[in-house]
Amino acid sequence: MDLFDTTQTALERAMSGTSARQAALAQNLANANTPGYQRKDVDFQGALRSALAGGKSAVERSSIQAVTDTSAALRADGSNVDPEREGAIIARAGLEHDALVSVANARNSILRAAMGIG
Amino acid sequence: MGIFDALDISASGLIAERTRMDVTSQNLANAQSSGYRRQDVVLREAGGGFANVLGKAIGASSSEAPGGGTNRGVEVAEVVTDQAEQRRVYDPGHPDADAQGYVRLPNVNAVSEMTDLISASRAYEANVTAMNTAKQMFSKTLEILR
């Protein structure tokens, strides 16, 4: 039995994912006025979900992938960035990250209590 | 991929939008300067240039974000001069008037400059919001260490 189990590793991986996602979304907003720019997003949930069945080492190696979104509606200048939409997704990614940190913190305090240093 | 990437990207967005505001102000300030032509800022995605293509070709991967995409923000590609026709105004007393008494006044339309200014200012605010969210995320992450 490891000190840090699969769930804790998955939480870490998901936090890396939300950080990468935040960078991609910031990139989209920075390029809100760049003609022809295609919005980017980061996909880590799908790979993480299937890796959870494979145990800790699979979770550690689960991919965090940048994807270019070509589905969103094009503007007249060829860009598909919608600042309002990006703002909403950024707020969501931030809250998801906060939730992950809270869960990780709760698990850490349980560990500390078990070690008698809580 | 460092944790401060998002902050650097938003900062590049702030610089780009600030440049747009500067150029728009320049156009408005010169709205009556004879001979002036309005200028326009061309933005492009940073990191997509020759150096990046070469880096990929020789297999450098340290600058790449997860999945191979590069997140480097935005940059000003160039500031171009608008070649649209200048206004010709009859003012024979003007020192810059031509033989027929016409002066070439700038092709600056104050209304469209003002809308550009609003667009740049809103985009600037959007980048500030993204920067604040990134900041909150990082400080929340630091709570794990407590």
Side-chain angles (χ1 to χ4, degrees):
Chain A
M1 171 76 194
D2 287 326
L3 188 56
F4 297 109
D5 60 359
T6 312
T7 311
Q8 196 71 14
T9 316
L11 283 171
E12 280 169 24
R13 200 66 191 151
M15 276 186 251
S16 306
T18 47
S19 298
R21 187 149 195 237
Q22 171 68 23
L25 297 170
Q27 172 86 352
N28 292 342
L29 265 186
N31 283 286
N33 287 308
T34 306
Y37 175 81
Q38 300 283 293
R39 72 176 296 274
K40 291 196 179 71
D41 211 328
V42 167
D43 182 39
F44 62 93
Q45 293 102 328
L48 190 57
R49 194 177 299 123
S50 44
L52 272 172
K56 195 174 160 182
S57 60
V59 166
E60 271 170 354
R61 282 182 282 104
S62 82
S63 72
I64 297 175
Q65 214 164 14
V67 286
T68 303
D69 185 358
T70 50
S71 64
L74 275 185
R75 292 200 317 238
D77 65 357
S79 165
N80 62 359
V81 176
D82 183 353
E84 287 82 7
R85 186 165 163 238
E86 300 301 330
I89 306 175
I90 281 179
R92 195 181 145 165
L95 288 173
E96 275 173 8
H97 187 85
D98 285 2
L100 291 167
V101 171
S102 300
V103 176
N105 266 339
R107 292 177 61 87
N108 281 343
S109 60
I110 290 172
L111 266 182
R112 280 201 205 96
M115 290 186 229
I117 54 173
Chain B
M1 164 76 202
I3 67 162
F4 296 118
D5 271 16
L7 291 179
D8 291 341
I9 291 166
S10 293
S12 78
L14 294 181
I15 293 166
E17 299 304 338
R18 178 62 169 274
T19 309
R20 282 181 74 208
M21 282 190 254
D22 288 350
V23 168
T24 309
S25 308
Q26 169 84 352
N27 290 341
L28 278 173
N30 283 290
Q32 302 299 328
S33 313
S34 55
Y36 179 81
R37 283 178 186 274
R38 73 177 289 272
Q39 296 191 313
D40 222 340
V41 175
V42 181
L43 301 181
R44 72 163 169 232
E45 191 181 2
F50 172 71
N52 185 46
V53 174
L54 182 70
K56 272 186 184 163
I58 60 174
S61 61
S62 59
S63 64
E64 285 180 0
T70 45
N71 286 332
R72 295 279 190 73
V74 65
E75 64 186 6
V76 175
E78 55 181 335
V79 178
V80 293
T81 303
D82 189 339
Q83 293 302 329
E85 193 70 17
Q86 287 168 315
R87 279 182 295 141
R88 288 180 78 226
V89 175
Y90 186 69
D91 186 2
H94 197 285
D96 289 335
D98 61 13
Q100 284 81 42
Y102 283 97
V103 182
R104 292 192 176 276
L105 287 183
N107 49 357
V108 174
N109 178 350
V111 176
S112 76
E113 296 301 331
M114 289 310 289
T115 51
D116 279 358
L117 203 57
I118 292 169
S119 148
S121 143
R122 289 284 177 265
Y124 189 92
E125 286 169 22
N127 279 295
V128 171
T129 308
M131 206 175 217
N132 277 333
T133 310
K135 219 168 67 184
Q136 278 163 19
M137 278 171 70
F138 300 148
S139 50
K140 185 82 180 170
T141 307
L142 290 177
E143 283 180 19
I144 296 178
L145 299 175
R146 282 194 200 144

